[in-house]
Amino acid sequence: MNLDKREIIAKRAAEELKPGSIINLGIGIPTLVTKFINPDDFFIHTENGLLGMKELESDEEFDPLIVNAGKMAVGEEIGASYFDSATSFSMIRGGHVDVAILGALQVDENGQIANWAIPGKNILGVGGAMDLLSGAKKVIVSITHTAKDGRIKLVKECDYPITSLRAVDAIVTDLGFFERVDHEWVLKEIMPNSSLEEITKNTEFHFKVDQDIN
Amino acid sequence: MNLDKREIIAKRAAEELKPGSIINLGIGIPTLVTKFINPDDFFIHTENGLLGMKELESDEEFDPLIVNAGKMAVGEEIGASYFDSATSFSMIRGGHVDVAILGALQVDENGQIANWAIPGKNILGVGGAMDLLSGAKKVIVSITHTAKDGRIKLVKECDYPITSLRAVDAIVTDLGFFERVDHEWVLKEIMPNSSLEEITKNTEFHFKVDQDIN
Amino acid sequence: MDKLKTAKEAIQQVQTGNTVMVGGFGLVGAPLTMIEELTKHEAYDLTIVSNNVGEEGKGLGKVLRQGKIKKAIGSYFTSNREVGTLYNEGKIDVQLVPQGTFSESIRAGGAGIGGYYTKTGAGTKLAEGKEEKIMNGEKYVLEEAIKGNVAIIKADKADTLGNLQYYKTARNFNPVMATAADFVIAEVDEIVDVGELDPESIVTPHLYVDVVVRSRYQLTKEGVVELG
Amino acid sequence: MDKLKTAKEAIQQVQTGNTVMVGGFGLVGAPLTMIEELTKHEAYDLTIVSNNVGEEGKGLGKVLRQGKIKKAIGSYFTSNREVGTLYNEGKIDVQLVPQGTFSESIRAGGAGIGGYYTKTGAGTKLAEGKEEKIMNGEKYVLEEAIKGNVAIIKADKADTLGNLQYYKTARNFNPVMATAADFVIAEVDEIVDVGELDPESIVTPHLYVDVVVRSRYQLTKEGVVELG
């Protein structure tokens, strides 16, 4: 299988998931994670009111009234359940979702992320991002290491408005895998075709390098 | 039909109900109200999680897992629905119950009632009384005018702990019918076999007498 | 005791200056027939409580273009960027709320809860000016209940009493909105006799519903279609 | 991924000093099998969150007589007057809560809400010492979320994933308690295969449930019976 950059990131994020987990996937790269997990091993929660989402497997399955948080048509897994939005966010805020995989515009040295507003643009939307950060047991950010224009995303301090006071737990990019250990970022893994130099050059925040790294 | 004192009170309370109303009935005399209404015209809500309660009509209908707030077996009306306790009390607090008919130990000149605690007794129970007072659109108190030992229930000021800051809207007793008008009690009706003298003698709080009273 | 009305009869409840809740996640579970009727109705200066305010020129987006919306309360207007443009031009008011807070505040409105403390948004721009409280060592923000004069919601089935059931993810905000307005209009695809809905599976009991309207516009595999 | 356990295996989760939520309105919807198991279990100093704490010497009343309960949180202990007696003797702590506040605080615990303002109880003895707030001209009182270490609930049916459905008014506090504890044990009368429960009619989705136990004691027309 020939994977593009976004798929490589999604595949690596998928490896972080423990079988049996309840997972919520943000819009963008996180959505691709479903391609790399065995649907029988995981339960996908979508905040618009479904536990047990799966990818559409055929045209016949298409139902315009079954969608994910990105308003894309999805399928219903065996054992699924539907509920209203208030109940769905109670699950999120109440700590009943094991892992949220999210996109981000910036992640900073404190682990805080910015992913809901870009100053000066006429986009007014926050959706469920703040709720997922406040409630999911573990948050993994899955992003390209830098923006298309080269802008660095792993910054000293977010200059876009932050999404939550809560620090995320891990970052998966096309260059490396970082984990939050004792309130610091630790580079745990260098992705194939990347190097410590490349990561260092493209990362503003301070990070430690795991001693086991090869 | 030969009615006892409690039934007379329940029957008079039933006359206050408008067809189509959502009604919640407290334990004791209020429970008897169902005998005097056409079940097709009303919807009885019970706070343990049922809208559309009815009296048991036969032994076959008896189901130990369908009970009212007094834990008595009841029946299920056509068009009924079941829900959990949090949802049930959301209906009550949120103002979706039209009328609550409640018992009381005391009702005072401000319209406040006491019906949940007796100082010095080892009874610890409040149940749904405070919620019904905080949320029902209309509250009717249905009680015998005085206690068995002659103690006056319609008092100047409750000396038992009050149930709510909210004033109730009406009182039905075996002697009279009172309504709250402009923050005052008005005697609107003298029950058969009673008299203004008897009511006055057995009532501590100040009340006006409706001009239309015969 | 039949609550069935036409869309035109039902829309008369919406008055100029009202706060109107409108269900749906995008077009999914949106009351398309009643929204269409709203575009023909004269009421204006509306505060619309809706997750998205439709799309550009579509659904509630049409009502927005008519200039009838004074204020929008929702969580994701990204799907209709005209909301952002009008806001930046000072032509409408916007209250942007995290989606969980949006649905929880509506639930609170319907449940007689004045306000509640949530961690969501605490310490962010969206919590500015709001009361904060430290509980168990964590920062919470006080959010107030949201209520409406009228709620226009979409369900799948109603019985003639107004008991409702929903369909799949078209459920979304509809059940909470049904609880939080003085007057509730439920647009439904199917109306059945009382007793046909399983009492254990009714999602919105009839005490929440004032009027039932049969849908004329539905979202199908072929997109939005008008029924003959 | 089968969550089925015996009552004895399941009860091991309850540790001395724990806060344990127990569903049921009186005996209706009470997890009778697990309560029986609790009487045989060694854990003590328990805080019990339950509407009634059973009846005198029955259900949780048996656990009370064993001296294992340190504190009871509920709304109506009138059904078991021994609670009042022990409280007056200073032998147990009691937190008496209006029934709506009881269920709402448990819901809040499960929904990540730190606390909320309700009119219920405001200005009464039960609001003494609690924070008050005037909202829209009315007095509200701040109530805090209630959470548990373990919840022991009763449902009618479970599938092997732990999705739950309830039966009639045996639903009561069980669905909210299922959301508000670190570990949730669901006692059920019937276990079915995954896919047999209608996805629209599942009341407690499986993400709330850790263990499913088959009931041995059930409340029937003949009273509480032990199944063969």
Side-chain angles (χ1 to χ4, degrees):
Chain A
M1 188 157 52
N2 230 331
L3 302 180
D4 69 20
K5 198 195 269 190
R6 293 158 47 92
E7 287 169 327
I8 289 167
I9 299 166
K11 183 167 181 292
R12 180 61 190 82
E15 290 167 15
E16 289 302 298
L17 302 174
K18 292 196 190 78
S21 300
I22 313 292
I23 299 158
N24 185 295
L25 302 172
I27 300 171
I29 294 174
T31 307
L32 303 174
V33 168
T34 52
K35 289 180 192 262
F36 304 101
I37 57 176
N38 179 348
D40 295 343
D41 286 350
F42 298 95
F43 304 102
I44 304 181
H45 174 270
T46 177
E47 60 261 40
N48 51 313
L50 165 59
L51 175 65
M53 183 201 105
K54 63 167 189 176
E55 288 200 286
L56 274 185
E57 280 160 19
S58 66
D59 284 355
E60 290 80 62
E61 265 189 6
F62 169 64
D63 182 332
L65 299 179
I66 309 181
V67 300
N68 66 13
K71 300 190 183 75
M72 308 291 287
V74 294
E76 167 192 313
E77 195 60 83
I78 293 174
S81 52
Y82 293 95
F83 29 82
D84 67 66
S85 303
T87 304
S88 189
F89 280 95
S90 295
M91 295 173 181
I92 293 171
R93 266 192 327 260
H96 306 284
V97 169
D98 296 314
V99 186
I101 305 185
L102 300 176
L105 299 162
Q106 298 178 322
V107 188
D108 72 15
E109 196 158 299
N110 294 319
Q112 291 178 344
I113 72 167
N115 74 345
W116 68 278
I118 306 174
K121 295 241 174 137
N122 61 350
I123 304 170
L124 288 170
V126 60
M130 290 186 177
D131 301 284
L132 284 160
L133 276 158
S134 81
K137 284 186 202 151
K138 183 174 184 176
V139 176
I140 302 173
V141 168
S142 299
I143 48 174
T144 56
H145 204 95
T146 52
K148 276 179 197 153
D149 61 5
R151 181 180 54 79
I152 287 180
K153 294 180 177 178
L154 307 188
V155 297
K156 203 82 187 148
E157 195 180 336
C158 292
D159 46 16
Y160 292 169
I162 60 165
T163 307
S164 174
L165 294 174
R166 182 245 178 100
V168 300
D169 302 282
I171 309 169
V172 182
T173 78
D174 47 316
L175 302 186
F177 174 67
F178 298 84
E179 257 184 5
R180 196 111 190 118
V181 182
D182 295 333
H183 307 288
E184 284 191 302
W185 283 119
V186 178
L187 178 67
K188 301 285 272 191
E189 205 175 309
I190 297 168
M191 297 289 273
N193 305 321
S194 177
S195 67
L196 184 55
E197 292 70 39
E198 194 180 358
I199 291 172
T200 306
K201 200 181 73 182
N202 290 292
T203 305
E204 269 179 24
F205 65 51
H206 171 77
F207 60 90
K208 288 186 175 169
V209 178
D210 192 273
Q211 54 184 7
D212 293 338
I213 223 160
N214 14 352
Chain B
M1 188 156 53
N2 230 329
L3 302 180
D4 69 20
K5 200 194 267 189
R6 291 158 49 92
E7 286 170 325
I8 289 168
I9 299 166
K11 183 167 182 288
R12 180 61 191 85
E15 289 168 16
E16 288 303 297
L17 303 173
K18 293 197 190 77
S21 299
I22 312 294
I23 299 158
N24 187 294
L25 302 173
I27 300 171
I29 294 174
T31 307
L32 303 175
V33 168
T34 53
K35 290 180 192 259
F36 304 101
I37 57 177
N38 178 350
D40 296 343
D41 286 349
F42 299 94
F43 305 102
I44 304 182
H45 173 272
T46 176
E47 60 262 38
N48 50 313
L50 165 58
L51 174 66
M53 183 201 105
K54 63 167 188 176
E55 288 201 286
L56 275 184
E57 279 160 21
S58 66
D59 284 355
E60 290 79 62
E61 265 189 6
F62 169 64
D63 182 333
L65 299 178
I66 309 181
V67 299
N68 65 13
K71 300 190 183 75
M72 308 292 287
V74 294
E76 167 193 313
E77 196 59 82
I78 294 174
S81 52
Y82 293 95
F83 29 82
D84 67 67
S85 302
T87 303
S88 190
F89 280 95
S90 294
M91 293 173 182
I92 292 171
R93 265 193 326 262
H96 306 284
V97 169
D98 296 313
V99 186
I101 305 186
L102 301 176
L105 300 162
Q106 298 178 322
V107 187
D108 72 16
E109 195 158 300
N110 294 319
Q112 291 178 343
I113 72 168
N115 74 345
W116 69 279
I118 305 173
K121 295 241 173 137
N122 62 348
I123 304 170
L124 289 169
V126 59
M130 290 185 178
D131 301 285
L132 284 160
L133 276 158
S134 80
K137 285 186 203 151
K138 184 174 183 176
V139 176
I140 301 173
V141 168
S142 299
I143 48 174
T144 56
H145 203 96
T146 51
K148 275 179 198 154
D149 61 5
R151 181 180 54 79
I152 286 181
K153 294 180 177 177
L154 307 189
V155 297
K156 202 82 186 146
E157 196 180 337
C158 292
D159 47 16
Y160 291 171
I162 59 165
T163 307
S164 174
L165 294 174
R166 182 245 179 100
V168 300
D169 302 282
I171 309 168
V172 183
T173 77
D174 47 317
L175 303 186
F177 174 66
F178 298 84
E179 258 184 3
R180 197 108 189 120
V181 181
D182 295 331
H183 308 288
E184 285 192 302
W185 283 119
V186 178
L187 178 68
K188 301 285 273 189
E189 206 176 306
I190 297 168
M191 297 289 274
N193 305 322
S194 178
S195 66
L196 184 55
E197 292 68 41
E198 194 181 357
I199 291 171
T200 306
K201 199 182 74 184
N202 290 292
T203 305
E204 268 179 25
F205 65 49
H206 170 78
F207 61 89
K208 286 188 176 168
V209 179
D210 192 272
Q211 54 184 7
D212 292 340
I213 222 160
N214 14 352
Chain C
M1 227 172 290
D2 196 314
K3 294 177 177 172
L4 190 61
K5 293 269 189 304
T6 67
K8 194 169 178 174
E9 285 166 346
I11 206 70
Q12 305 309 318
Q13 275 293 328
V14 178
Q15 309 285 322
T16 291
N18 272 183
T19 296
V20 184
M21 300 190 160
V22 183
F25 186 70
L27 295 183
V28 178
L32 300 172
T33 309
M34 287 304 301
I35 290 171
E36 190 59 32
E37 202 64 43
L38 190 58
T39 65
K40 298 177 200 157
H41 186 54
E42 75 278 3
Y44 60 95
D45 260 0
L46 302 174
T47 294
I48 295 290
V49 179
S50 178
N51 193 55
N52 308 91
V53 189
E55 299 176 16
E56 298 186 21
K58 284 185 197 163
L60 282 172
K62 220 164 150 180
V63 182
L64 182 73
R65 282 196 182 164
Q66 290 181 314
K68 291 175 178 171
I69 300 179
K70 183 180 65 177
K71 182 176 180 181
I73 303 175
S75 90
Y76 201 74
F77 304 128
T78 313
S79 61
N80 185 355
R81 301 202 176 188
E82 291 179 12
V83 174
T85 307
L86 288 169
Y87 173 69
N88 288 335
E89 292 171 4
K91 288 181 180 154
I92 62 165
D93 251 10
V94 165
Q95 187 179 333
L96 187 67
V97 189
Q99 200 167 315
T101 299
F102 178 72
S103 49
E104 186 69 13
S105 291
I106 297 168
R107 180 195 175 273
I113 301 298
Y116 60 93
Y117 288 99
T118 175
K119 278 189 283 183
T120 300
T124 74
K125 223 176 129 183
L126 291 189
E128 281 173 12
K130 291 180 180 175
E131 218 174 280
E132 286 178 343
K133 198 181 191 76
I134 307 293
M135 301 177 98
N136 299 315
E138 292 196 90
K139 193 180 272 188
Y140 284 75
V141 60
L142 177 63
E143 295 286 352
E144 288 182 21
I146 299 177
K147 295 186 75 168
N149 299 104
V150 180
I152 302 176
I153 63 157
K154 175 67 169 50
D156 180 42
K157 282 185 196 176
D159 66 19
T160 50
L161 286 178
N163 285 309
L164 305 179
Q165 284 179 342
Y166 301 86
Y167 180 81
K168 311 285 183 180
T169 59
R171 190 184 301 200
N172 57 65
F173 303 96
N174 291 297
V176 280
M177 287 182 174
T179 70
D182 301 329
F183 195 90
V184 177
I185 301 165
E187 173 178 338
V188 304
D189 292 343
E190 192 184 345
I191 297 168
V192 300
D193 285 338
V194 176
E196 285 194 32
L197 303 180
D198 173 13
E200 306 272 12
S201 304
I202 288 168
V203 175
T204 296
H206 63 76
L207 87 180
Y208 288 120
V209 179
D210 295 289
V211 158
V212 173
V213 170
R214 204 182 293 268
S215 65
R216 209 168 64 239
Y217 295 91
Q218 292 178 1
L219 183 61
T220 70
K221 287 190 183 191
E222 286 72 39
V224 177
V225 298
E226 183 174 358
L227 305 182
Chain D
M1 225 172 290
D2 196 311
K3 295 177 177 172
L4 191 61
K5 293 268 188 305
T6 67
K8 194 170 178 173
E9 286 166 345
I11 205 70
Q12 305 309 318
Q13 275 294 327
V14 177
Q15 309 285 323
T16 291
N18 272 185
T19 295
V20 183
M21 298 188 163
V22 183
F25 186 70
L27 296 182
V28 178
L32 300 172
T33 310
M34 287 304 303
I35 290 171
E36 190 59 32
E37 202 63 42
L38 189 58
T39 66
K40 299 178 200 156
H41 186 55
E42 76 277 3
Y44 60 95
D45 259 0
L46 303 175
T47 294
I48 295 289
V49 179
S50 179
N51 193 55
N52 309 92
V53 189
E55 300 176 17
E56 297 185 21
K58 286 186 196 162
L60 282 173
K62 219 163 150 179
V63 183
L64 182 74
R65 282 196 183 166
Q66 291 180 314
K68 292 175 178 171
I69 299 179
K70 184 182 62 176
K71 182 177 180 181
I73 303 175
S75 90
Y76 200 75
F77 305 127
T78 313
S79 62
N80 185 354
R81 300 201 176 188
E82 292 180 10
V83 175
T85 307
L86 289 168
Y87 173 70
N88 288 335
E89 291 171 6
K91 288 181 179 155
I92 62 165
D93 252 10
V94 165
Q95 187 179 332
L96 187 67
V97 189
Q99 201 168 317
T101 299
F102 179 72
S103 49
E104 186 69 14
S105 291
I106 297 168
R107 180 195 175 273
I113 302 299
Y116 60 92
Y117 288 99
T118 175
K119 278 188 284 182
T120 299
T124 74
K125 223 176 129 186
L126 292 188
E128 279 173 13
K130 291 181 178 174
E131 219 174 280
E132 286 178 342
K133 198 182 190 74
I134 307 293
M135 300 178 98
N136 299 316
E138 292 196 89
K139 194 180 273 190
Y140 284 75
V141 60
L142 177 63
E143 294 286 351
E144 288 181 22
I146 299 176
K147 294 185 75 167
N149 300 104
V150 181
I152 302 176
I153 64 157
K154 175 67 170 48
D156 180 43
K157 283 186 196 176
D159 66 20
T160 50
L161 286 179
N163 286 309
L164 305 179
Q165 284 179 343
Y166 300 86
Y167 180 80
K168 310 285 182 177
T169 59
R171 189 183 300 201
N172 57 66
F173 303 96
N174 291 297
V176 281
M177 288 183 173
T179 70
D182 301 330
F183 195 89
V184 176
I185 301 165
E187 172 178 338
V188 304
D189 292 342
E190 191 184 347
I191 298 169
V192 300
D193 285 339
V194 176
E196 284 193 33
L197 303 180
D198 173 12
E200 306 272 13
S201 305
I202 288 168
V203 176
T204 296
H206 64 75
L207 87 180
Y208 290 118
V209 179
D210 296 289
V211 158
V212 173
V213 171
R214 206 181 292 268
S215 65
R216 209 169 64 240
Y217 295 91
Q218 293 178 2
L219 184 61
T220 70
K221 286 190 183 192
E222 287 72 39
V224 177
V225 298
E226 182 174 359
L227 304 182

